[in-house]
Amino acid sequence: MSALEKLYEGKAKILYKGPKPGTLIQYFKDDATAFNAQKKGTFANKGLLNNYISEVIMGYLEKIGIPTHLIERIDDRQQLIRQVEIIPLEIIVRNIAAGSICTRLGLTEGDPLPRPLIEFCYKEDALNDPLIAEEHIVTFGWATEDELATIFELTQRINDFLCGLFAAIGIQLVDFKLEYGRREQDGDIHVILADEISPDNCRLWDIKTGEKMDKDRFRRDLGGETEAYTEVARRLGITIATENT
Ligand code: TMP
Ligand code: ASP
């Protein structure tokens, strides 16, 4: 195969030009960062595990009618995806208090929230992805009112579904981050789910033991990252034969 044309390299993934117009190849790296890349590291098989986990989760979401960018997983490290214009928002859903909301609002980690909470951050590394209000989004034109309504609706459905999916495998979905993109189809612009859904952008706690099974193991120097991600994959029914890339 001829060398792929690199279009963009992010902290955890690389995007290459895809084989057909309107497609990209998303490559999952083993690099891990936290606190806007102030902390950097790498752990074995992270990219591979996130690739498989995100494939399975996005596959389930497609089945319940959530449009996603995933076309297919190509190999251990790569996915063929639909090209989108990324909406510059990080949509955070919280079911239980953890992470930044605890410091920001003085909550105790582990406290259930009265109802699922959706927060927005402006996706701009140079500004440290600041928390913003809905008003900012429309005022600055980052998304239209209609797009925002779609984002709310899809995000609530994704949270309902994922809470059930993880509960069924003994995992509490504490919080997670989503990104959406715009895609033109038949002359209309559609909002579809982009990026990835994996232990990198979810907080996942074992229901029985409370053990953290996500990137907080790296953020908080707890160790055992590969083992935790592997266990999430195993419970999702993923069997990975070899690392061949
Ligand atoms: P937070 O508690 O640090 O705000 O994180 C909330 C959720 O969003 C958590 O599941 C981790 C995820 N997240 C990302 O995926 N990327 C990020 O850059 C940040 C800050 C959080
Ligand atoms: N992805 C983020 C970063 O390094 C942080 C995080 O996931 O905590 O910038």
Side-chain angles (χ1 to χ4, degrees), residues 116-148:
L117 177 68
I118 299 182
E119 295 181 328
F120 297 96
C121 294
Y122 178 43
K123 190 175 151 60
E124 179 53 81
D125 279 345
L127 300 174
N128 231 337
D129 299 340
L131 184 73
I132 49 164
E134 253 181 272
E135 275 292 298
H136 293 92
I137 298 172
V138 179
T139 301
F140 293 111
W142 295 323
T144 65
E145 300 260 16
D146 281 355
E147 286 172 338
L148 205 49

Side-chain angles (χ1 to χ4, degrees), residues 11 32-39 90 125 129 177 200-201 203 215-216 219:
K11 286 175 276 200
T33 64
F35 317 116
N36 200 15
Q38 285 178 61
K39 179 180 166 85
E90 299 205 339
D125 279 345
D129 299 340
K177 186 261 299 184
D200 262 20
N201 50 24
R203 282 197 174 91
K215 204 167 108 179
D216 270 351
R219 293 189 191 98

